Amino acid sequence: MKNDILLPQLMHPRNQIALVMGRIYRRGLTTTSGGNISIMDDNGDIWISPSAVDKGKLQPSDIVCIKKDGTIIGCHKPSSEFPFHKAIYEIRPDIRAIIHAHPPALVSFSIVRATPNTKIITQASRVCGPVGYAEYELPGSEALGAKIAQEFTKGYKAVIMENHGTVVGGCNLADTFERFETLEFCARTLLYGKTIGTPQYLTDKQINAFEAQIPAPLPEMKTVSHPSDEREKRLEICDIVQRACTQGLMISSYGTVSTRWRGNDFLITPTDVPRWDLTVDDIVQIKDNQREPGKFPSRTTYLHQQIYNKHPEINSIILTQSPYLMAYAVTGETFNVRTIPESWIFLQDVSTLDFGLHFKDQDKIAGIIHKHNPAVIIKNSCVLVAGDKLLQTFDYLEVAEFSAKSLVLCASIGTLVPINNEQVEELRHAFVKE
């Protein structure tokens, strides 16, 4: 057990539900009264969030257990939506956890009676798959349970509920939350993208080719040591990942952070570990072109390695998907950072590169990135930001996302009037150090 910290799937169901509901509420993906979460345990008992209890302050002691024989244990009434949770579990034995909520972007799809196309980014296609659609029925009714269950019989793990919200299932609550968060992110990206341009979807051929070109992992080192300065950097990475998740700049299913350690050796986040649950033990050391034994670093490790080798002034890198920047990634629209002085000073020109380039042409990215152009956008994939100290790199990411948000929001009231060339030269002279 890592660092004596229980991972969500090892927590008691009541603790898992309270933890995940807290994340959903803090991210603004549900309201004080809205949404419900359940888990079916190995005994066939269903643990579910209660009805009419503040979701922002939900405690493990608030969670209700409905025994297999129908007995209810707890100090509150179970969620009024229990019937459709029960109906899904009965017809889908592979599903062991369910999240239902009313996140704004997915509600937008539900009230126009549409489903988001998850082929806008590769991991949304992989994590969410195609999305089902359940016609409207009275909330809390057996009829609603039957409609939703019918969609789940078709193999879906995510269903849009007409004029209501969404329901998502998975093999455990960590898997379910990852799918829920990824689907809402996908929906937001599509909505923001449509504000500034036309989203371009990936074909199955593109997705398969992308997965096929992912390189084999680095060889394992025989021995590994963890001196104090290395441990300190692990903590720093975990702190930045947690901040990014909390602020909506990273989601469970995607995000890589690395920091140089000594020479060209560095530390990097692993693959296939939910970002919300990252611990210092998960971080992977890369030393002398080898990986820490028994661990699998991010699939973009070679790209990080290339950038560190080429740029001694770069000491940290973040690859992530934040919704407003990804609006530019999925549409291919130009991201003009001449919005406010800070944005240009920090970012200057942000290039948009072709999908899949971070695997098949790492030299090109390493050649574009440098201290005065620390960010690139890769179509239908991610944004990459590099810098000196990791906190500085995170600041660059925040500035980029805030700039993208301002541009998306201003689209409804007018067209960007950028800082002009003369003003840019003044900024260059005053703030840019060669």
Side-chain angles (χ1 to χ4, degrees):
M1 193 175 299
K2 304 175 187 179
N3 281 4
D4 297 325
I5 298 174
L6 286 169
L7 297 176
Q9 61 267 30
L10 299 180
M11 291 179 176
H12 190 278
R14 63 169 71 94
N15 296 81
Q16 292 187 50
I17 292 171
L19 172 70
V20 171
M21 185 65 84
R23 289 176 181 172
I24 291 172
Y25 182 81
R26 288 193 301 274
R27 283 286 312 281
L29 303 182
T30 196
T31 60
T32 297
S33 59
N36 33 79
I37 299 176
S38 72
I39 295 173
M40 176 177 275
D41 67 18
D42 292 341
N43 297 323
D45 300 334
I46 298 174
W47 300 80
I48 193 166
S49 52
S51 177
V53 174
D54 181 359
K55 300 301 189 295
K57 295 183 178 179
L58 196 68
Q59 299 297 313
S61 57
D62 294 320
I63 308 307
V64 181
C65 179
I66 303 173
K67 305 292 285 184
K68 196 172 182 178
D69 63 6
T71 303
I72 298 174
I73 301 173
C75 54
H76 303 289
K77 292 181 179 179
S79 169
S80 61
E81 301 286 20
F82 172 71
F84 78 65
H85 288 251
K86 183 171 181 287
I88 293 170
Y89 289 131
E90 286 176 348
I91 56 93
R92 285 288 296 275
D94 59 312
I95 289 178
R96 310 293 289 185
I98 294 167
I99 296 175
H100 162 60
H102 317 131
L106 288 171
V107 167
S108 295
F109 278 86
S110 83
I111 61 180
V112 300
R113 304 186 176 184
T115 59
N117 184 341
T118 59
K119 291 180 182 178
I120 197 69
I121 43 179
T122 55
Q123 104 272 4
S125 177
R126 174 175 51 83
V127 171
C128 304
V131 179
Y133 183 86
E135 294 179 351
Y136 181 84
E137 291 290 351
L138 182 70
S141 67
E142 297 289 342
L144 177 61
K147 282 278 178 70
I148 295 171
Q150 177 61 31
E151 287 302 294
F152 275 88
T153 62
K154 300 173 184 177
Y156 296 120
K157 291 186 177 180
V159 172
I160 294 291
M161 303 162 66
E162 185 175 279
N163 289 92
H164 194 153
T166 190
V167 58
V168 176
C171 61
N172 55 49
L173 190 52
D175 175 54
T176 305
F177 176 68
E178 180 179 75
R179 185 165 294 110
F180 170 79
E181 189 183 32
T182 302
L183 187 61
E184 169 68 4
F185 167 78
C186 178
R188 288 190 182 202
T189 298
L190 288 170
L191 293 178
Y192 301 155
K194 286 176 181 288
T195 300
I196 60 169
T198 303
Q200 303 297 312
Y201 297 96
L202 298 169
T203 65
D204 288 337
K205 183 178 180 180
Q206 285 176 302
I207 293 171
N208 293 336
F210 176 83
E211 294 294 331
Q213 70 181 3
I214 294 169
L218 290 166
E220 287 190 355
M221 58 182 78
K222 289 185 171 59
T223 59
V224 63
S225 63
H226 305 288
S228 297
D229 61 333
E230 192 254 24
R231 297 183 188 192
E232 185 176 39
K233 289 184 181 296
R234 288 172 178 263
L235 287 169
E236 188 181 11
I237 289 174
C238 288
D239 176 63
I240 290 296
V241 169
Q242 188 65 43
R243 286 175 67 169
C245 287
T246 302
Q247 293 174 218
L249 299 173
M250 191 174 288
I251 57 176
S252 296
S253 61
Y254 193 94
T256 300
V257 176
S258 75
T259 185
R260 193 192 296 269
W261 174 35
R262 295 176 180 175
N264 288 333
D265 299 335
F266 58 98
L267 300 169
I268 191 166
T269 48
T271 189
D272 294 333
V273 173
R275 280 49 172 186
W276 278 94
D277 304 319
L278 189 74
T279 71
V280 291
D281 284 347
D282 294 317
I283 306 302
V284 186
Q285 184 186 127
I286 306 297
K287 183 178 174 60
D288 297 330
N289 300 318
Q290 296 179 318
R291 61 185 165 94
E292 192 172 341
K295 296 183 179 181
F296 293 92
S298 165
R299 301 189 299 181
T300 60
T301 296
Y302 289 96
L303 173 59
H304 291 244
Q305 190 175 52
Q306 194 85 344
I307 293 171
Y308 287 132
N309 289 344
K310 187 176 182 64
H311 298 284
E313 78 282 3
I314 290 177
N315 294 304
S316 58
I317 301 167
I318 299 174
L319 270 81
T320 192
Q321 294 171 338
S322 50
Y324 290 98
L325 286 168
M326 287 302 294
Y328 286 88
V330 302
T331 59
E333 294 292 323
T334 300
F335 177 44
N336 188 343
V337 301
R338 295 188 181 192
T339 52
I340 61 174
E342 182 188 48
S343 295
W344 186 87
I345 292 165
F346 282 8
L347 304 170
Q348 296 189 29
D349 298 318
V350 178
S351 300
T352 300
L353 306 178
D354 289 338
F355 172 71
L357 204 65
H358 52 311
F359 288 129
K360 66 185 178 185
D361 199 350
Q362 297 156 5
D363 287 343
K364 184 170 183 178
I365 297 176
I368 291 172
I369 286 284
H370 61 81
K371 65 179 181 179
H372 295 317
N373 291 113
V376 297
I377 292 171
I378 301 171
K379 290 180 182 179
N380 296 86
S381 187
C382 66
V383 57
L384 182 152
V385 185
D388 182 9
K389 300 290 191 294
L390 185 52
L391 184 61
Q392 178 198 61
T393 304
F394 184 69
D395 188 21
Y396 289 169
L397 172 63
E398 288 180 313
V399 169
E401 178 69 359
F402 273 47
S403 299
K405 183 175 182 179
S406 296
L407 287 165
V408 170
L409 295 178
C410 85
S412 65
I413 57 173
T415 303
L416 167 69
V417 181
I419 295 171
N420 64 40
N421 291 340
E422 182 179 343
Q423 292 165 334
V424 163
E425 288 310 310
E426 286 180 335
L427 292 172
R428 191 189 308 277
H429 179 73
F431 296 101
V432 176
K433 303 289 189 287
E434 294 297 337

